[in-house]
Amino acid sequence: MLKIGVLVSGGGTNLQAIMDAIDTQGIPAEIVSVVSSNPNAYALERAKNKGIEAVTMRKRDYADAKAYDIALAEHFKSRGVGLVVLAGFMTILGETFVNEFENKIMNIHPALIPSFCGDGFYGLHVHEAVLAKGVKLTGATVHFVSPITDGGPIILQKAVEVLDDDTPEVLQKRVMEQAEWKIFPEAIRLFAEGKLQVEGNKVRIKK
Ligand code: GRF
């Protein structure tokens, strides 16, 4: 059974959707540890409520970024983690960590990559930029993490309508409900069932 490590920083609604899907949809996987970069993240409570190990590891408590990467990698390796899931993790991971788990780290981005992504596009800023541009469709993307921000192989995407009177907050909620909470568990299921095949920058989904 696949062992999953989850990195969080905030409310953890994606973590909740993944935990629920594992319980109800028979995904052959188990979350073995949830690590937060923020000691006050509600995501930690969600994990504890499920009896899952929940710990805080902050970059500022380590000598430098590389030492943090090494500590995180050791934490997950010692628990036999085969997939690392970034569920609203607001800390940048370095090459040391990314290379250790090549094509075994998944992230969710709240827009349709390659639009509205890269440095500076996180949280509400993404939805503000979408509204400022006036696009009619946005959505969410699950992708493998590479050393380039939001640049790794795309696994799943789902489009969501932008409505005339949307605020960034209203749009963020719709993107979560209609896209993020659906495609993230689905991508994890495909990975757990061995159905994702990475070919260069493309991901082939096996039947
Ligand atoms: C989500 O919008 C996700 O796309 C972004 O951060 C937010 C996390 O929300 N990267 P939550 O902590 O899962 O509720």
Side-chain angles (χ1 to χ4, degrees):
M1 173 118 68
L2 174 69
K3 291 189 168 144
I4 298 176
V6 184
L7 286 165
V8 295
S9 302
T13 61
N14 278 288
L15 168 67
Q16 190 69 52
I18 293 162
M19 292 189 305
D20 292 349
I22 287 174
D23 280 355
T24 62
Q25 294 172 25
I27 297 172
E30 172 196 8
I31 298 176
V32 294
S33 189
V34 172
V35 177
S36 176
S37 60
N38 163 15
N40 301 315
Y42 185 64
L44 289 169
E45 301 308 313
R46 294 181 190 271
K48 285 182 204 156
N49 288 341
K50 283 267 180 187
I52 297 170
E53 174 187 63
V55 298
T56 300
M57 292 173 77
R58 295 184 296 187
K59 204 182 239 181
R60 68 165 90 143
D61 296 332
Y62 293 82
D64 53 28
K66 188 164 182 176
Y68 183 62
D69 272 16
I70 291 170
L72 274 181
E74 286 306 318
H75 177 87
F76 286 135
K77 279 198 293 181
S78 70
R79 284 153 181 78
V81 164
L83 175 68
V84 176
V85 170
L86 310 188
F89 186 58
M90 302 304 273
T91 300
I92 301 282
L93 293 166
E95 282 195 30
T96 304
F97 186 87
V98 174
N99 292 338
E100 190 71 54
F101 288 95
E102 196 187 5
N103 292 332
K104 290 184 179 144
I105 310 170
M106 271 185 200
N107 182 47
I108 183 113
H109 182 73
L112 294 173
I113 290 174
S115 292
F116 308 106
C117 67
D119 292 339
F121 286 96
Y122 61 89
L124 272 183
H125 298 304
V126 176
H127 306 289
E128 284 161 7
V130 163
L131 293 176
K133 183 67 188 171
V135 294
K136 303 295 187 191
L137 280 178
T138 183
T141 303
V142 182
H143 64 93
F144 283 119
V145 172
S146 78
I148 302 160
T149 308
D150 298 329
I154 291 172
I155 303 165
L156 291 176
Q157 296 189 295
K158 189 165 191 292
V160 173
E161 246 187 311
V162 181
L163 302 180
D164 287 346
D165 296 326
D166 277 347
T167 62
E169 291 79 7
V170 166
L171 182 57
Q172 179 182 52
K173 187 159 179 280
R174 187 179 314 114
V175 169
M176 285 178 146
E177 286 173 354
Q178 294 186 6
E180 294 184 41
W181 302 341
K182 295 187 170 150
I183 61 173
F184 217 176
E186 175 63 7
I188 290 167
R189 185 182 67 77
L190 291 167
F191 184 97
E193 291 177 352
K195 292 191 175 152
L196 298 180
Q197 199 174 322
V198 182
E199 295 170 4
N201 206 40
K202 280 193 190 169
V203 178
R204 186 181 295 275
I205 299 175
K206 292 192 261 176
K207 297 282 175 219

